[in-house]
């Protein structure tokens, strides 16, 4: 968290990867069937993801994200944690733009948690509820 998209991109490139593309994120979050949420098509509940925690349906006045993997019922069918809620993620949106996807603990509505929901930001902005993960080429078969 608190890392700009420019810094996140540089980190991933330095390690042989890249920020995930919008298509890569959508596939990872929606699974092979394109589910609405990482855990499936059933709407979010507080047990599925850290969302609405600053204020909202899961509100506890939280100001920081949960530890990674704290919501195992929200994992994808392929075992990926926290693709919705907890912290949103920097994604390559195309045409050199970045997007933020996945929603975060600060979102009080469930819409940002949907696999296709995105918001835009500049490369140099930093947020305490946006992080990143790197995507790497698949190994040769």
């Amino acid at each position: 968290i608190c890392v700009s998209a420019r810094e996140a991109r540089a980190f991933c490139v330095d390690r042989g990867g890249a920020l995930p593309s919008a298509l890569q994120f959508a596939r990872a979050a929606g699974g092979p069937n394109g589910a609405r949420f990482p855990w499936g098509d059933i709407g979010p509940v507080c047990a599925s993801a850290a969302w609405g925690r600053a204020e909202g349906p899961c509100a506890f006045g939280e100001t920081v994200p949960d530890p990674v993997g704290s919501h195992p019922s929200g994992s994808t069918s392929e075992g990926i944690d926290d693709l919705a809620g907890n912290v949103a993620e920097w994604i390559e949106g195309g045409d050199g733009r970045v997007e933020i996807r996945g929603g975060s603990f600060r979102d009080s509505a469930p819409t940002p948690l949907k696999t296709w929901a995105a918001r835009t930001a500049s490369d140099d902005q930093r947020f305490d509820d946006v992080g990143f993960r790197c995507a790497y080429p698949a190994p040769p078969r």
Side-chain angles (χ1 to χ4, degrees), residues 12 16-21 24 133-137:
C12 291
L19 287 179
S21 69
Q24 288 171 321
R133 63 182 86 207
C134 302
Y136 296 92

Side-chain angles (χ1 to χ4, degrees), residues 25-135:
F25 183 87
R27 169 52 181 86
N33 298 322
R36 290 187 311 159
F37 301 98
W39 52 86
D41 286 323
I42 297 170
V45 295
C46 297
S48 299
W51 68 285
R53 294 181 53 92
E55 51 183 81
C58 309
F60 300 103
E62 299 294 331
T63 59
V64 296
D66 287 347
V68 173
S70 294
H71 300 271
S73 63
S75 298
T76 68
S77 62
E78 297 165 315
I80 305 170
D81 290 324
D82 299 319
L83 282 173
N86 214 23
V87 297
E89 299 184 26
W90 288 114
I91 304 298
E92 292 288 359
D95 298 332
R97 296 174 295 110
V98 290
E99 296 177 353
I100 298 171
R101 291 194 179 208
S104 81
F105 72 95
R106 291 195 182 280
D107 290 309
S108 58
T111 302
L113 303 176
K114 291 182 178 177
T115 57
W116 60 82
R119 63 184 166 125
T120 59
S122 75
D123 278 4
D124 294 316
Q125 286 182 278
R126 298 168 189 264
F127 303 94
D128 70 351
D129 66 337
V130 177
F132 70 97
R133 63 182 86 207
C134 302

